[in-house]
Amino acid sequence: MTELTLSTARGPHGALSHIPGERGLPVVGTTLRILKDPVGYTQRMFDQYGPVYRSRTFGIDQISLLGPEANELVLFDKNKIFSSTYGWSHVLDKLFPRGLMLLDFDYHRHDRRIMQLAFKVGPMRSYVDSLNEGTRAGLRSWAQQAASGDPFEFYPAIKTLTLNLSASPFLGIPWGDDAEQINRAFVDMVQATVAVVRKPLPGTQMRKGVKGRQFMVEWFGREIPKRRGAEGGDMLTLLCNAVDDAGRGFTDQEIIDHMNFLMMAAHDTLTSSMTSMTYFLAQTPEWQQRLAEEASQNLSHGETNEPEISYDALSDMNWTEAAFKEAMRMMPPVPSIPRFAIGDFHFAGHDIPAGTPVAISPYFTHHMPDHWPDPERFDPMRFTDEGGQKTRHKYAWVPFSGGAHMCLGLHFAYMQAKVVFGHFLSQFEVRLPQGYTADFQVWPIPRPRDGLPVQLKMRD
């Protein structure tokens, strides 16, 4: 299998001074400006320099490439010159090393093929049962708070729910006393990805992140021996026993790295997307009502006589899917995607040498008026044929990345969103406080700074 060497990643093999842009302040470069306002910074650079510009972030000179054509070049990567391993390593190597997103080419294809076993129809059907059960249980406490009339912070509530929902399909067990520590570990790891100080020095965010990873390594390390040779439909057990065509399975460390990354991707990115979707639905009561009606039409009662969204009903929840897609357009869960060029390439009139860190911006692309008229308006109709879905550039919407690195769990994400919103909107009407506008922290994964206070009202 093809493997890059560290010598490949020493830096640009040619100067980057011919690329327009700026290096910013000594030492920190443009990092602080970007972290303060990533959306505004990118827009200013685009207005001044166009779709290709140079900056210095987290101590690294990099080139940003903007627009759907840039997304296609980097994500489709027909010449295999954009390394995800070295693109993400500076951000994630101490926190989520060797996760599937950080593998390249043959290694990525090999591990992805094995991991796909966990996302086939059989396991997915079993996951939907646990999602229904977990959602019903989680919403009972929401109902109690709605009855009280007190403000309800949606972000921490949905974050707890998504963590609990991942327990059965991912691990095959209910969360126990470790739940709070696991949640804290993932929060610390994700926040550390954008820490200005990149070494785990005492008192730093990176130190907290590294300690969070160590907790998860030890936690998974205790579970793996229990799953070897055992039967089970959860992802951890499936990965512990899956083998490739040559009969080779994953090592303990490979399972730990893959599960740690999968849990983060399923937990934090879904939390982000479902929070932004709730915010936009609260702003648009007509869309909230349409989804509530669709939810009621697709809820049935299973063997336990409890309400559920069946696996077969998921394909009928088209408006819920369109709204989820539109929420991810407006607030993509991964706003920026880094890569590392291991070969020379040309884009938008610029020759860029091998050894250059590059980044594309789903967030910027998703708000380009040329591809998304009136881009700040929430309109799920965009994801219908009438709304231009068929004629739009294929890489104008990339919340799940694209090409060989298209998110392995995207169908699980759709399934969880439909189950959660099916139950949620059939039970509750969600409103925003008078005059309220949410303030989202965009990097590293979008979240409302104040927890998104909403008002929940039980439906009749």
Side-chain angles (χ1 to χ4, degrees):
M1 290 185 285
T2 303
E3 182 174 18
L4 303 180
T5 62
L6 287 176
S7 62
T8 315
R10 286 176 179 168
H13 299 177
L16 295 178
S17 57
H18 64 291
I19 305 296
E22 60 187 28
R23 298 195 81 214
L25 298 171
V27 184
V28 298
T30 60
T31 304
L32 298 180
R33 291 175 59 194
I34 293 174
L35 290 179
K36 182 179 180 181
D37 182 13
V39 175
Y41 180 85
T42 304
Q43 185 64 55
R44 287 192 296 273
M45 296 297 278
F46 176 80
D47 292 342
Q48 185 170 356
Y49 301 115
V52 181
Y53 66 86
R54 169 175 46 87
S55 60
R56 184 170 180 80
T57 311
F58 299 122
I60 294 177
D61 290 309
Q62 74 169 19
I63 303 300
S64 292
L65 311 174
L66 301 177
E69 293 80 10
N71 299 342
E72 183 172 18
L73 171 74
V74 172
L75 297 178
F76 186 64
D77 193 18
K78 67 178 181 179
N79 295 321
K80 292 183 171 56
I81 62 171
F82 294 103
S83 166
S84 185
T85 299
Y86 290 125
W88 284 106
S89 61
H90 189 65
V91 178
L92 300 181
D93 63 341
K94 294 182 178 65
L95 306 162
F96 301 99
R98 299 174 298 279
L100 187 63
M101 189 175 69
L102 277 74
L103 300 180
D104 277 327
F105 312 126
D106 293 344
Y107 279 94
H108 173 264
R109 184 165 52 252
H110 173 269
D111 283 17
R112 184 184 177 96
R113 186 177 294 122
I114 298 176
M115 295 173 70
Q116 282 175 332
L117 293 171
F119 294 95
K120 290 186 176 295
V121 173
M124 291 283 278
R125 281 187 176 275
S126 68
Y127 301 158
V128 78
D129 293 335
S130 64
L131 290 177
N132 275 289
E133 182 181 356
T135 301
R136 287 194 300 264
L139 295 188
R140 289 189 191 107
S141 64
W142 295 19
Q144 294 172 1
Q145 191 151 352
S148 72
D150 295 333
F152 182 81
E153 287 196 11
F154 187 84
Y155 179 79
I158 193 67
K159 188 170 179 60
T160 298
L161 179 59
T162 56
L163 179 63
N164 290 337
L165 290 180
S166 66
S168 181
F170 279 76
L171 304 175
I173 58 174
W175 287 124
D177 296 335
D178 292 334
E180 183 58 37
Q181 286 181 279
I182 290 172
N183 189 38
R184 184 73 256 166
F186 279 111
V187 169
D188 288 342
M189 283 188 283
V190 170
Q191 289 300 112
T193 62
V194 292
V196 175
V197 178
R198 304 307 299 168
K199 294 184 178 180
L201 301 175
T204 63
Q205 184 63 57
M206 183 59 75
R207 180 65 170 268
K208 291 181 180 179
V210 169
K211 289 178 69 175
R213 170 175 168 75
Q214 185 58 41
F215 175 83
M216 292 309 305
V217 167
E218 294 171 357
W219 195 90
F220 281 119
R222 292 192 298 269
E223 287 294 322
I224 290 172
K226 305 174 187 177
R227 309 304 178 91
R228 297 284 193 188
E231 293 186 2
D234 60 276
M235 295 183 192
L236 177 57
T237 301
L238 288 171
L239 291 190
C240 285
N241 297 289
V243 296
D244 60 18
D245 294 339
R248 176 193 174 274
F250 287 132
T251 66
D252 284 13
Q253 189 60 54
E254 287 172 331
I255 294 169
I256 289 171
D257 293 334
H258 282 314
M259 286 301 303
N260 200 42
F261 177 77
L262 280 174
M263 289 286 291
M264 180 275 292
H267 178 211
D268 284 290
T269 58
L270 266 171
T271 295
S272 174
S273 296
M274 288 196 284
T275 299
S276 59
M277 180 171 167
T278 299
Y279 175 60
F280 297 131
L281 288 176
Q283 289 183 317
T284 53
E286 66 279 11
W287 276 107
Q288 185 178 162
Q289 182 60 33
R290 182 178 294 191
L291 265 62
E293 292 172 0
E294 181 178 76
S296 296
Q297 292 167 3
N298 286 283
L299 277 169
S300 59
H301 288 77
E303 296 178 359
T304 62
N305 204 35
E306 293 274 14
E308 67 176 24
I309 302 289
S310 71
Y311 182 83
D312 293 329
L314 296 173
S315 60
D316 293 327
M317 299 182 69
N318 297 317
W319 288 124
T320 304
E321 182 171 323
F324 187 51
K325 288 179 175 179
E326 175 69 344
M328 289 189 290
R329 179 193 70 80
M330 296 188 71
M331 195 70 67
V334 182
S336 178
I337 300 176
R339 289 291 189 266
F340 188 92
I342 59 174
D344 300 338
F345 70 98
H346 182 87
F347 180 74
H350 298 280
D351 292 313
I352 301 172
T356 300
V358 301
I360 59 172
S361 174
Y363 192 104
F364 182 85
T365 305
H366 290 185
H367 290 259
M368 295 180 73
D370 289 350
H371 302 281
W372 307 98
D374 195 6
E376 303 308 317
R377 179 170 59 90
F378 179 75
D379 182 12
M381 286 295 296
R382 301 179 199 273
F383 293 92
T384 65
D385 292 346
E386 298 90 333
Q389 180 171 238
K390 284 189 174 180
T391 58
R392 192 175 298 122
H393 193 292
K394 184 178 180 181
Y395 284 82
W397 186 78
V398 288
F400 292 111
S401 188
H405 279 275
M406 177 71 78
C407 176
L408 183 63
L410 69 91
H411 294 298
F412 179 83
Y414 286 135
M415 182 170 71
Q416 182 162 328
K418 290 178 180 181
V419 170
V420 170
F421 280 98
H423 286 279
F424 174 51
L425 294 177
S426 68
Q427 295 182 46
F428 300 98
E429 179 184 349
V430 57
R431 301 172 181 173
L432 298 174
Q434 186 70 30
Y436 173 80
T437 300
D439 178 18
F440 276 83
Q441 172 188 302
V442 177
W443 274 16
I445 296 175
R447 63 181 179 88
R449 298 180 193 275
D450 60 359
L452 189 63
V454 299
Q455 297 168 340
L456 295 183
K457 179 185 176 183
M458 298 295 296
R459 293 187 184 274
D460 297 331

